[in-house]
Amino acid sequence: DVKVTQSSRYLVKRTGEKVFLECVQDMDHENMFWYRQDPGLGLRLIYFSYDVKMKEKGDIPEGYSVSREKKERFSLILESASTNQTSMYLCASSPSTGQSSPLHFGNGTRLTVT
Amino acid sequence: GQSLEQPSEVTAVEGAIVQINCTYQTSGFYGLSWYQQHDGGAPTFLSYNALDGLEETGRFSSFLSRSDSYGYLLLQELQMKDSASYFCAVMDSSYKLIFGSGTRLLVRP
């Protein structure tokens, strides 16, 4: 089974802090994604990556950056956390770009910014 | 703009059949997917339709009509464990997977 592991289940940070959310997948998948999930808004794509050192903006990239130095690891960075970034963050991976290739999600990181 | 519309909540009785609809408007279309998410859990893939028609996988079926930009997820013989949120998703021309806001299904005894 594919395993997508997010380093923290819960995280509390202060406004202005730099925050790193880490995600590791163990199935040699090419593609990795970061979504945030908010009530009533579903899952919104922040950034995605099709290969090492490649990144593409999703629908809501403002205030975020990403890093993919190794194939198995995709990090989401909040340069200066703000209260409106309080959310559930979900990492996912897939073996290819086709939609028939389903996304495998991690269990999420619930981030609270105070 | 891009949008996927689905009902926010659906309630049904154990053993019954329920249909969750999804209409979409996206730039490019590469098929409709459905994901299930239990409270506190990760979304998990249920089904994918690239062509018009019905795809059946056990108690779950998914339907697509590309001409109507419409699809649905059909759950039969509902069980209590089916209580969860269900998301439709469409891949657009940029290969981004766009999700709907989700339908919360409550199955009652």
Side-chain angles (χ1 to χ4, degrees), chain A residues 9 33 35 37-38 40-45 48 50 57-59 90 97-108, chain B residues 2 29-33 35 37 40-45 48 87 89-92 94-102:
Chain A
R9 185 73 168 132
F33 308 82
Y35 287 86
Q37 183 174 21
D38 301 287
L41 297 177
L43 284 75
R44 292 180 292 166
L45 183 63
F48 58 109
Y50 291 138
K57 291 181 180 178
D59 296 319
L90 291 164
T97 51
Q99 191 172 355
S100 60
S101 176
L103 267 59
H104 299 265
F105 284 89
N107 284 326
Chain B
Q2 304 192 106
F29 177 79
Y30 294 98
L32 181 70
S33 298
Y35 285 77
Q37 185 181 31
T44 56
F45 174 79
Y48 167 68
F87 296 88
V90 169
M91 183 166 285
D92 70 6
S94 303
Y95 298 106
K96 294 185 296 184
L97 194 61
I98 310 298
F99 283 83
S101 55

Side-chain angles (χ1 to χ4, degrees), chain B residues 26-95:
Chain B
T26 56
S27 57
F29 177 79
Y30 294 98
L32 181 70
S33 298
W34 289 92
Y35 285 77
Q36 178 192 58
Q37 185 181 31
H38 287 99
D39 283 349
T44 56
F45 174 79
L46 287 177
S47 68
Y48 167 68
N49 293 66
L51 302 175
D52 291 353
L54 191 69
E55 296 278 345
E56 298 182 52
T57 309
R59 294 188 297 113
F60 293 5
S61 303
S62 56
F63 172 82
L64 174 65
S65 170
R66 288 174 296 171
S67 60
D68 296 322
S69 297
Y70 164 76
Y72 64 73
L73 181 68
L74 190 73
L75 295 83
Q76 303 182 74
E77 301 173 21
L78 280 173
Q79 301 175 10
M80 299 297 291
K81 67 178 182 180
D82 297 330
S83 290
S85 293
Y86 293 85
F87 296 88
C88 58
V90 169
M91 183 166 285
D92 70 6
S93 55
S94 303
Y95 298 106

Side-chain angles (χ1 to χ4, degrees), chain A residues 17-28:
Chain A
E17 276 193 83
K18 189 169 185 176
V19 182
F20 292 86
L21 302 184
E22 305 288 346
C23 174
V24 176
Q25 50 94 3
D26 66 358
M27 284 300 291
D28 202 35

Side-chain angles (χ1 to χ4, degrees), chain A residues 1-4 24-29 72:
Chain A
D1 264 359
V2 176
K3 190 160 187 180
V4 179
V24 176
Q25 50 94 3
D26 66 358
M27 284 300 291
D28 202 35
H29 282 176
E72 67 271 18

Side-chain angles (χ1 to χ4, degrees), chain A residues 25-88:
Chain A
Q25 50 94 3
D26 66 358
M27 284 300 291
D28 202 35
H29 282 176
E30 300 291 331
N31 310 316
M32 297 189 75
F33 308 82
W34 274 107
Y35 287 86
R36 64 176 282 177
Q37 183 174 21
D38 301 287
L41 297 177
L43 284 75
R44 292 180 292 166
L45 183 63
I46 306 172
Y47 268 97
F48 58 109
S49 169
Y50 291 138
D51 200 352
V52 176
K53 297 192 185 295
M54 289 185 63
K55 59 183 179 183
E56 297 285 343
K57 291 181 180 178
D59 296 319
I60 51 165
E62 296 78 18
Y64 304 95
S65 62
V66 290
S67 172
R68 194 166 181 201
E69 295 296 318
K70 293 185 178 181
K71 191 175 186 179
E72 67 271 18
R73 186 179 298 272
F74 193 36
S75 304
L76 180 69
I77 304 155
L78 287 67
E79 295 290 341
S80 178
S82 63
T83 54
N84 63 12
Q85 292 179 308
T86 290
S87 186
M88 172 68 84

